[in-house]
Amino acid sequence: MKKGQPRLIMDPYEWLPGYGESRVSFHSVGLDVILDIDYEKEILVDNEEVVLALRREITFNYVRCFIRGPFPGGSLFELDSVPSEFKLGKLTEFADSEWLRDNLKTWSLVSSQESPKFRHFSIQFLSENVAFDVLAVDVFLSDELPVR
């Protein structure tokens, strides 16, 4: 399936350390899918370096479909865009998505209700070697949280 017209939503490396995430996991709450991203952050406390174990959540609201796959590795998707427009490791929305179009067609065949305004999001975690593609209505990033 082709995806194109990428648009940057968020760059996790603005808050992740240069070496990336320590762990990525996911869970769902109702129709939301939440990615838990654990990472370390070094801070100075009384002139001593302290390493904090932190977590942030990327919450995808009202998820229609969700794909988790290895990265790099086989992918269901083919980039139909200028490669320099797409940056690995960043949360990206694809305005042109065959996967989204196909899902909206299926929705219209099985429901008389108007479809929610689904969007195709994609992100790769370069240290954990995992990629996520999600059809959801919206996405939100939490503040920093202590690791549970």
Side-chain angles (χ1 to χ4, degrees):
M1 288 181 279
K2 293 184 179 184
K3 62 183 180 181
Q5 297 179 15
R7 181 175 71 92
L8 176 68
I9 301 296
M10 170 189 45
D11 181 356
Y13 286 91
E14 290 177 357
W15 45 270
L16 281 173
Y19 51 84
E21 66 282 349
S22 302
R23 186 178 72 86
V24 176
S25 60
F26 68 93
H27 64 280
S28 63
V29 176
L31 295 175
D32 295 346
V33 170
I34 301 164
L35 302 182
D36 294 309
I37 303 111
D38 293 353
Y39 59 99
E40 296 175 342
K41 183 177 184 178
E42 297 174 1
I43 63 169
L44 285 177
V45 176
D46 297 326
N47 289 330
E48 287 190 42
E49 194 172 279
V50 176
V51 178
L52 300 176
L54 299 172
R55 170 176 62 85
R56 279 195 154 173
E57 297 174 343
I58 298 176
T59 301
F60 295 95
N61 293 125
Y62 201 83
V63 172
R64 169 98 169 127
C65 297
F66 174 80
I67 297 174
R68 176 189 180 271
F71 179 83
S75 175
L76 296 173
F77 301 102
E78 174 187 344
L79 184 62
D80 188 23
S81 187
V82 177
S84 63
E85 292 177 351
F86 175 63
K87 306 292 185 213
L88 291 174
K90 302 187 182 350
L91 181 61
T92 304
E93 178 182 358
F94 288 93
D96 182 18
S97 168
E98 189 175 350
W99 187 39
L100 178 58
R101 281 192 304 275
D102 289 350
N103 268 273
L104 293 176
K105 284 180 192 173
T106 301
W107 180 287
S108 67
L109 292 174
V110 298
S111 176
S112 59
Q113 304 262 341
E114 184 176 338
S115 166
K117 302 296 181 206
F118 291 112
R119 300 157 64 191
H120 181 174
F121 298 101
S122 181
I123 189 167
Q124 308 75 36
F125 292 97
L126 307 178
S127 292
E128 284 289 290
N129 298 322
V130 64
F132 295 92
D133 278 87
V134 183
L135 294 185
V137 171
D138 212 347
V139 64
F140 298 97
L141 176 66
S142 75
D143 292 330
E144 288 183 326
L145 305 164
V147 170
R148 303 180 229 156

